[in-house]
């Protein structure tokens, strides 16, 4: 029976591993002298006339476990590494400097440096021990630095409609999502499909992508697997990362609202229930759940088993680290889940999540540190962009947040602005030079532009435009998953968003939230919402809205205001026509 086979494998290997909940990569090979990557690593390399070998992985990474069990466990490998290298190992989740620098490389990533921090060798993925030793010997014999990719600037010669046309040409109309080895929900692309759901080609592609992506949701406990390989949706890699849960929750909620698809909403809610059951700690959430019950073993049979069969074997370990970016992404997803479902508990959880981070994480001039409970300050651009996205949505839904959005934006520009004119991935604290990631800068363009319109601070809008002009836009456009962001930039940097202004008497919050939920569920995400009482009108608002009864909504720009909108039907008519 399948159960007996699984149990046999489990008890045979149980003595080799224990669940790890520390957030550190499991290290069963004590003979390898791993150290943290800091300046002393390179100082030691100079003193001992050795090279530096950096192993980057993740607690949830299956092939990192295989590398430990098969390659690093080999005595010949251990002896060779200890003799020739200063050895460093880091978890990429806890080191945003390394994540930004090698994010496209995949895990495990192995980098060899000289004492001057120049890269000599990059290896990605599992390395068979003999080939691994051969490659390392080659770099010892010929320690030639690799060439750096210079940062360049270029402008697009395509408008938004041309970018949309290119996107439709490049997507996978047969299987869904993109033409690439890994299949998974890429939220920006599906959001563009939802925005143009009236386009027959994009509607079919969006429906197909959503339907096929259900194969990546655990049918027993829910929770979304990270991805599937071999250009198929059915070769799953079973790790469950919090950021992946957030992306799937948000995407399914948006799709459910647009397509009226009850199944998508049920799955989105199921994914959140998984997060609550397995990852929640107070009001915040742990980082991930391992793919493997037994590190390095094939988990396919386990995930194809029934719940009772799984429980007889055990439950994969949890990385109990609490990180900013991943939790802020979940907070944003909760707001969209609230909008699609109408269930206030999701908005309540988002509010409590924001309060938890404000109370429990180190902050520097409004910016959030990477990890809850960490004494070391690591300020990451990714973390704080995701925080701004979440907090802007939460502010519009509730009218109040603990953080100062204007202060956050100004500090972010000050801290991360680099000599190259783009935003660096971290501020300080890494022995390596900070990476400048073009896609993250493109995301920053959109976030800072929206922040400028929300706070009425022109400096954010101007900075976003300047930042966009310094990007290598043509290189970005070669990657299909960047086209939705470039499409948005071409529109949003040249147009102001609609401001949805709700006239309130302070007692009509239900109607205000109903309007905001409807806006969030619409196709156009470039709309800002504000609830205001007549006693708080400035002079211009008195002229525009004076004498208007409470419960009325206006959709305005700097030179236009709609007729009064008094119900959800009227708002839908406006959204459909704009």
């Amino acid at each position: 029976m399948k159960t007996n086979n699984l149990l046999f494998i489990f008890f045979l290997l149980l003595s080799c591993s224990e669940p790890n909940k520390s957030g550190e990569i499991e290290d069963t090979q004590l003979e390898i002298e791993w150290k943290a990557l800091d300046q002393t690593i390179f100082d030691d390399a100079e003193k001992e006339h050795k090279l530096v070998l950096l192993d980057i992985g993740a607690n949830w990474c299956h092939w990192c476990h295989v590398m430990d069990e098969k390659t690093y466990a080999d005595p010949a490998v251990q002896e060779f590494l200890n003799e020739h290298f200063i050895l460093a190992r880091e978890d990429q989740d806890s080191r945003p400097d390394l994540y930004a620098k090698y994010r496209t490389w995949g895990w495990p990533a192995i980098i060899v440096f000289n004492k001057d921090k120049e890269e000599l060798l990059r290896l990605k993925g599992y390395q068979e021990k003999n080939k691994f030793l051969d490659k390392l010997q080659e770099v010892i014999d010929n320690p030639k630095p690799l060439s750096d990719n210079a940062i360049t600037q270029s402008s697009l010669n395509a408008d938004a409609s041309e970018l949309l046309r290119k996107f439709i040409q490049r997507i996978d109309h047969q299987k869904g999502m993109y033409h690439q080895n890994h299949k998974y929900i890429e939220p920006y692309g599906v959001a563009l499909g939802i925005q143009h759901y009236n386009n027959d080609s994009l509607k079919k592609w969006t429906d197909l992508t959503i339907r096929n992506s259900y194969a990546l949701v655990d049918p027993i406990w829910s929770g979304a697997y990270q991805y599937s390989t071999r250009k198929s949706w059915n070769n799953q890699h079973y790790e469950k990362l919090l950021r992946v849960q957030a992306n799937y929750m948000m995407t399914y909620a948006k799709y459910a609202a647009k397509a009226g698809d009850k199944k998508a909403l049920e799955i989105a809610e199921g994914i959140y229930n998984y997060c609550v059951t397995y990852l929640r700690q107070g009001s915040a959430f742990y980082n991930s759940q391992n793919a493997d019950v037994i590190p390095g073993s094939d988990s396919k049979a386990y995930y194809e088993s029934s719940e009772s069969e799984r429980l007889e074997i055990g439950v994969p370990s949890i990385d109990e680290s609490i990180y900013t970016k991943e939790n802020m992404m979940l907070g944003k997803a909760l707001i969209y889940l609230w909008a699609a479902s109408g269930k206030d508990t999701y908005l309540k959880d988002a509010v409590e999540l924001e309060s938890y981070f404000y109370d429990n994480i180190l902050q520097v001039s409004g910016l959030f540190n990477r990890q809850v409970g960490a004494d070391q300050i690591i300020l990451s651009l990714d973390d704080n962009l995701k925080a701004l996205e979440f907090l802007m949505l939460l502010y519009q839904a509730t009218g109040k947040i603990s953080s100062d959005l204007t202060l956050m934006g100004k500090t972010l520009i000050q801290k991360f602005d680099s000599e190259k004119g783009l935003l660096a991935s971290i501020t300080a604290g890494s022995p390596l030079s900070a990476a400048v990631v073009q896609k993250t800068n493109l995301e920053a363009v959109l976030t800072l532009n929206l922040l400028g319109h929300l706070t009425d601070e022109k400096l954010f809008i101007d900075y976003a435009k300047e930042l966009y002009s310094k990007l290598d836009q043509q290189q970005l456009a070669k990657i299909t998953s960047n086209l939705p962001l470039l499409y948005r930039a071409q529109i949003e940097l040249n147009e102001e968003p609609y401001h949805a202004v709700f006239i309130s008497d302070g007692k009509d919050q239900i109607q205000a939230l109903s309007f905001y939920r409807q806006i969030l569920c619409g196709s156009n995400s470039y709309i800002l919402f504000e609830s205001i009482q007549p006693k708080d009108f400035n002079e211009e608002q008195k002229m525009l809205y004076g004498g208007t009864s409470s419960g009325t909504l206006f959709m305005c720009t700097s030179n236009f205001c709609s007729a009064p909108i008094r119900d959800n039907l009227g708002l839908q008519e406006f959204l459909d026509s704009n």
Side-chain angles (χ1 to χ4, degrees):
M1 291 178 61
K2 178 163 55 177
T3 303
N4 291 336
N5 290 337
L6 285 167
L7 285 170
F8 173 75
I9 295 171
F10 173 68
F11 289 116
L12 180 66
L13 298 179
L14 181 61
S15 62
C16 297
S17 64
E18 292 292 336
N20 175 22
K21 297 187 178 184
S22 67
E24 298 177 355
I25 305 171
E26 296 177 12
D27 183 5
T28 60
Q29 315 308 327
L30 299 179
E31 293 81 358
I32 294 182
E33 301 172 7
W34 296 115
K35 300 177 182 179
L37 183 73
D38 55 26
Q39 182 56 44
T40 61
I41 288 287
F42 295 97
D43 295 340
D44 290 345
E46 183 171 15
K47 292 175 186 176
E48 300 181 32
H49 304 288
K50 292 182 176 181
L51 301 178
V52 171
L53 184 146
L54 170 63
D55 177 276
I56 312 171
N59 178 264
W60 44 262
C61 168
H62 168 74
W63 287 108
C64 301
H65 301 324
V66 176
M67 188 79 182
D68 277 346
E69 298 295 326
K70 293 185 178 294
T71 303
Y72 290 135
D74 186 88
V77 173
Q78 295 173 1
E79 182 179 359
F80 186 87
L81 292 179
N82 287 328
E83 179 181 355
H84 295 287
F85 297 93
I86 303 296
L87 302 167
R89 166 173 275 197
E90 292 289 358
D91 185 323
Q92 58 87 25
D93 282 318
S94 66
R95 290 291 298 263
D97 55 329
L98 300 179
Y99 170 77
K101 211 169 186 70
Y102 302 108
R103 59 193 283 180
T104 60
W105 209 239
W107 321 118
I110 298 165
I111 320 297
V112 176
F113 302 89
N114 62 22
K115 63 180 177 60
D116 298 317
K117 305 176 187 177
E118 295 173 312
E119 294 180 4
L120 309 178
L121 177 69
R122 300 188 197 108
L123 299 173
K124 66 177 177 178
Y126 167 71
Q127 304 295 314
E128 188 275 329
K129 62 182 180 181
N130 292 322
K131 293 181 179 179
F132 184 46
L133 291 177
D134 288 343
K135 292 172 183 175
L136 293 180
Q137 186 62 59
E138 288 176 10
V139 81
I140 290 170
D141 294 339
N142 183 26
K144 180 181 179 182
L146 301 174
S147 59
D148 288 331
N149 293 323
I151 295 177
T152 58
Q153 181 275 336
S154 65
S155 299
L156 283 174
N157 50 12
D159 61 13
S161 60
E162 176 64 14
L163 290 171
L164 182 63
R165 186 188 66 79
K166 287 183 178 181
F167 182 77
I168 294 172
Q169 282 182 338
R170 292 188 197 172
I171 55 182
D172 187 343
H173 293 277
Q174 300 302 313
K175 296 180 180 179
M177 219 58 248
Y178 304 138
H179 289 287
Q180 57 188 28
N181 182 57
H182 289 180
K183 289 291 187 182
Y184 57 91
I185 287 287
E186 192 282 297
Y188 295 124
V190 179
L192 187 61
I194 293 170
Q195 181 179 350
H196 294 277
Y197 203 63
N198 59 346
N199 178 296
D200 186 60
S201 180
L202 280 177
K203 179 182 184 301
K204 290 178 180 177
W205 172 81
T206 303
D207 292 342
L208 177 66
T209 297
I210 294 294
R211 185 168 63 249
N212 285 346
S213 72
Y214 294 155
L216 292 180
V217 178
D218 187 339
I220 304 296
W221 292 328
S222 192
Y225 308 135
Q226 184 174 200
Y227 55 72
S228 180
T229 58
R230 302 175 188 171
K231 300 181 180 181
S232 163
W233 291 95
N234 295 303
N235 190 46
Q236 298 92 336
H237 282 222
Y238 297 103
E239 56 269 8
K240 297 177 182 177
L241 283 59
L242 184 61
R243 61 176 172 81
V244 173
Q245 313 313 310
N247 281 337
Y248 279 58
M249 281 169 54
M250 180 177 67
T251 300
Y252 289 154
K254 287 181 176 180
Y255 177 76
K258 183 63 179 179
D261 191 301
K262 293 182 179 180
K263 182 177 181 180
L265 183 58
E266 289 173 1
I267 293 176
E269 293 188 279
I271 291 173
Y272 183 57
N273 288 336
Y274 159 78
C275 293
V276 169
T277 302
Y278 290 92
L279 302 180
R280 193 169 197 171
Q281 171 57 36
S283 298
F285 294 83
Y286 294 142
N287 183 55
S288 62
Q289 185 173 34
N290 207 329
D292 307 337
V293 178
I294 303 159
S297 64
D298 187 348
S299 300
K300 184 176 178 63
Y302 177 85
Y303 286 95
E304 290 179 347
S305 301
S306 67
E307 182 172 30
S308 61
E309 288 173 325
R310 291 187 189 183
L311 291 174
E312 286 187 70
I313 296 170
V315 178
S317 62
I318 304 293
D319 174 359
E320 295 184 354
S321 305
I322 298 176
Y323 294 120
T324 295
K325 175 181 73 174
E326 290 77 2
N327 275 270
M328 297 299 176
M329 291 174 69
L330 192 79
K332 180 179 177 180
L334 280 170
I335 292 177
Y336 280 100
L337 192 56
W338 159 72
S341 69
K343 296 179 180 178
D344 290 338
T345 183
Y346 298 130
L347 182 59
K348 176 176 175 288
D349 286 355
V351 170
E352 291 178 355
L353 180 64
E354 188 261 348
S355 297
Y356 175 92
F357 265 80
Y358 190 78
D359 293 337
N360 289 279
I361 199 165
L362 290 172
Q363 296 176 60
V364 178
S365 300
L367 299 183
F368 291 95
N369 198 23
R370 169 65 179 150
Q371 183 175 356
V372 171
D375 294 326
Q376 180 184 7
I377 294 177
I378 301 178
L379 296 181
S380 158
L381 179 61
D382 253 348
D383 284 330
N384 286 285
L385 286 177
K386 296 306 180 189
L388 276 172
E389 290 175 14
F390 166 47
L391 294 173
M392 284 193 289
L393 283 175
L394 188 63
Y395 175 74
Q396 292 173 83
T398 64
K400 56 184 178 181
I401 53 174
S402 302
S403 299
D404 183 332
L405 292 174
T406 301
L407 175 63
M408 282 188 69
K410 290 180 178 179
T411 307
L412 185 144
I413 292 172
Q414 175 192 356
K415 293 283 188 182
F416 292 98
D417 195 33
S418 72
E419 60 185 19
K420 299 168 184 174
L422 297 174
L423 296 171
S425 57
I426 61 168
T427 56
S430 175
L432 305 178
S433 60
V436 174
V437 181
Q438 293 268 336
K439 183 170 184 176
T440 307
N441 275 262
L442 179 54
E443 292 173 324
V445 166
L446 299 172
T447 301
L448 291 172
N449 178 66
L450 193 63
L451 178 64
H453 288 290
L454 181 65
T455 61
D456 202 25
E457 288 278 357
K458 188 173 181 293
L459 72 93
F460 296 136
I461 299 170
D462 291 342
Y463 186 86
K465 291 179 179 179
E466 180 68 16
L467 186 61
Y468 187 62
S469 72
K470 294 177 180 177
L471 291 175
D472 191 346
Q473 297 171 20
Q474 293 180 21
Q475 185 64 35
L476 282 165
K478 292 178 181 179
I479 301 173
T480 304
S481 60
N482 292 335
L483 290 176
L485 293 170
L486 291 166
Y487 172 85
R488 284 181 53 193
Q490 292 288 84
I491 293 175
E492 294 175 18
L493 293 180
N494 294 293
E495 299 177 5
E496 60 179 303
Y498 277 110
H499 283 258
V501 181
F502 180 77
I503 311 302
S504 173
D505 62 3
K507 302 176 183 179
D508 43 18
Q509 186 183 26
I510 293 176
Q511 181 58 47
L513 291 178
S514 177
F515 278 143
Y516 184 47
R517 283 181 47 234
Q518 188 175 354
I519 289 169
L520 286 175
C521 291
S523 297
N524 184 0
S525 62
Y526 196 45
I527 297 175
L528 296 172
F529 182 84
E530 177 184 15
S531 179
I532 188 168
Q533 297 185 40
K535 64 183 180 65
D536 298 320
F537 284 170
N538 58 32
E539 290 303 316
E540 182 180 1
Q541 289 167 336
K542 288 177 182 178
M543 293 178 59
L544 287 172
Y545 314 125
T548 303
S549 59
S550 64
T552 302
L553 182 75
F554 293 91
M555 301 293 287
C556 299
T557 66
S558 59
N559 55 18
F560 164 83
C561 252
S562 70
I565 297 171
R566 305 189 189 280
D567 54 36
N568 295 90
L569 179 60
L571 175 57
Q572 193 59 54
E573 289 176 351
F574 180 89
L575 294 175
D576 288 343
S577 62
N578 290 272

